[in-house]
């Protein structure tokens, strides 16, 4: 049994009224020049000359018999998007409103941006869904927050890191217990896994030249903040050495972790470590 072959049908081409008239005139010209030729032969000759299918010639002749005037295909109307309906001034104003949140290190949600637009009064009225489309159209994307920072290798950092690695190697060679100490924080701003970021700002210089910002800094968002201090090693955290207290300020948490608080905690924590231990910490002022 012969295999069945699937043939994709070529889509029918739409011709303008000028192209149809050219086909019809050529058909009449060939018919006048060769009165003995059949209808099919003339159609195929015209199709070959014009580089179209012979069925297209048939359709044009049939259309002329039915309608006195040959018509061009209807053009599809292009619908304007929400972003097409607003001018560049409004787009720039919305961009600056979003960057005003970045400069305050506050997360720009749709509701907050919409509220600012309404307060302005000169930018018009937008629905929440329309504003979402506009923000995307002008170059923002709603993406997962990136907390990676590029290491800047200044000379002092390079030598500091080299000396640290040498000291750690020596401590390991003599069998010392190495513990790592640090502080951190957590606040309500960390519950936002995704935020708006401006994809048109590619560098700090571009942001400066445009009078805009480079985006949100971490942490961002208002709310209660807990300051956490702990120490641990490759075997895990030291039991009973955790220090957690609530921050009373919205600024840098280092202002509340002062030398008195740190020293009181450190005295109690160091008694929990075995002898012959090394504690690794950064160069915070209270350390």
């Amino acid at each position: 049994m012969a295999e069945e072959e699937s043939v994709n049908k070529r889509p029918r081409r739409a011709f303008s009224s000028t192209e149809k008239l050219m086909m019809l005139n050529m058909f009449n010209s060939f018919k006048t020049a060769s009165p003995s030729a059949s209808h099919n032969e003339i159609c195929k000759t015209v199709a070959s000359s014009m580089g179209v299918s012979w069925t297209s010639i048939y359709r044009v002749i049939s259309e002329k018999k039915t309608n006195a005037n040959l018509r061009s295909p209807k053009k599809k109307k292009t619908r304007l998007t929400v972003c097409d309906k607003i001018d560049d001034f409004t787009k720039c104003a919305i961009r600056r409103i979003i960057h005003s949140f970045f400069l305050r290190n506050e997360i720009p949600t749709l509701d907050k941006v919409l509220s600012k637009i309404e307060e302005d009064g000169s930018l018009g009225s937008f629905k929440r869904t329309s504003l979402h489309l506009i923000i995307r159209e002008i170059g923002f994307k709603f993406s997962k927050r990136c907390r990676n920072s590029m290491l800047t290798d200044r000379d002092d950092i390079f030598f500091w890191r080299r000396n640290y690695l040498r000291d750690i190697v020596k401590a390991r060679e003599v069998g010392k217990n190495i513990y790592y100490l640090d502080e951190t924080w957590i606040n309500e701003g960390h519950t936002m896994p995704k935020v708006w970021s401006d994809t048109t700002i590619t560098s700090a210089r571009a942001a400066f030249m445009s009078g805009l910002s480079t985006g949100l800094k971490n942490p961002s968002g208002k709310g209660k903040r807990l300051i956490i201090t702990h120490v641990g090693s490759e075997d895990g955290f030291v039991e009973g050495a955790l220090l957690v207290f609530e921050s009373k300020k919205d600024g840098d948490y280092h202002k509340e972790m002062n030398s008195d608080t740190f020293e009181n905690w450190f005295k109690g924590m160091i008694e929990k470590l075995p002898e012959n231990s090394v504690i690794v910490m950064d160069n915070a002022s209270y350390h």
Side-chain angles (χ1 to χ4, degrees), residues 25-269:
N25 289 339
M26 187 173 287
F27 177 84
N28 292 331
S29 176
F30 275 110
K31 189 176 181 181
T32 305
S34 306
S36 60
S38 66
H39 187 81
N40 290 346
E41 289 175 345
I42 297 174
C43 285
K44 290 177 181 178
T45 305
V46 174
S48 178
S49 302
M50 299 193 69
V52 297
S53 65
W54 61 272
T55 53
S56 299
I57 308 299
Y58 270 113
R59 286 198 304 272
V60 171
I61 295 171
S62 300
E63 182 182 343
K64 180 62 179 177
K65 289 179 180 178
T66 353
N67 302 314
N69 298 322
L70 297 172
R71 298 179 181 179
S72 297
K74 292 182 179 179
K75 294 182 180 179
K76 292 182 179 179
K77 293 182 179 179
T78 306
R79 293 184 61 182
L80 296 177
T81 64
V82 178
C83 201
D84 294 332
K85 294 179 182 178
I86 60 175
D87 54 23
D88 291 337
F89 174 81
T90 305
K91 294 175 185 177
C92 290
I94 293 174
R95 184 184 301 279
R96 291 188 177 277
I97 287 174
I98 295 173
H99 278 272
S100 69
F101 286 96
F102 291 159
L103 293 170
R104 296 195 302 272
N105 207 31
E106 186 179 346
I107 297 173
T109 62
L110 283 175
D111 292 329
K112 289 180 181 178
V113 176
L114 193 61
S115 176
K116 285 290 182 183
I117 292 174
E118 290 174 353
E119 285 179 14
D120 183 279
S122 63
L123 302 178
S125 178
F126 298 96
K127 292 182 180 178
R128 194 174 185 275
T129 51
S130 300
L131 180 62
H132 183 272
L133 294 174
I134 291 170
I135 291 176
R136 284 189 179 277
E137 285 285 337
I138 63 177
F140 288 87
K141 68 175 181 178
F142 195 63
S143 57
K144 194 169 184 179
R145 300 178 69 176
C146 178
R147 300 175 186 272
N148 297 328
S149 299
M150 183 176 67
L151 181 64
T152 306
D153 276 339
R154 300 196 313 262
D155 290 341
D156 57 328
I157 294 177
F158 172 80
F159 291 115
W160 198 342
R161 184 168 64 248
R162 185 189 63 181
N163 294 335
Y164 162 75
L165 292 174
R166 286 177 176 175
D167 291 340
I168 284 293
V169 169
K170 290 178 182 178
R172 287 173 179 166
E173 286 176 348
V174 297
K176 290 185 178 291
N177 303 304
I178 302 175
Y179 290 87
Y180 298 87
L181 179 154
D182 205 358
E183 303 82 27
T184 187
W185 74 95
I186 186 170
N187 65 359
E188 292 179 353
H190 290 138
T191 61
M192 297 287 290
K194 288 188 175 183
V195 293
W196 287 107
S197 58
D198 192 348
T199 57
T200 64
I201 302 298
T202 56
S203 65
R205 184 178 182 277
F208 175 77
M209 297 298 290
S210 305
L212 302 174
S213 70
T214 54
L216 284 171
K217 300 176 182 177
N218 293 317
S220 56
K222 297 179 180 180
K224 294 182 180 179
R225 177 183 297 178
L226 294 178
I227 297 176
I228 304 167
T229 304
H230 214 335
V231 63
S233 67
E234 60 182 6
D235 298 323
F237 289 108
V238 177
E239 187 175 354
L242 174 64
L243 172 65
V244 180
F245 62 93
E246 185 180 331
S247 173
K248 303 299 181 184
K249 300 178 181 178
D250 294 334
D252 188 352
Y253 77 93
H254 291 91
K255 295 178 181 178
E256 294 188 73
M257 174 57 81
N258 51 40
S259 57
D260 292 334
T261 304
F262 179 78
E263 187 175 353
N264 290 334
W265 169 80
F266 191 87
K267 287 178 179 178
M269 178 275 298

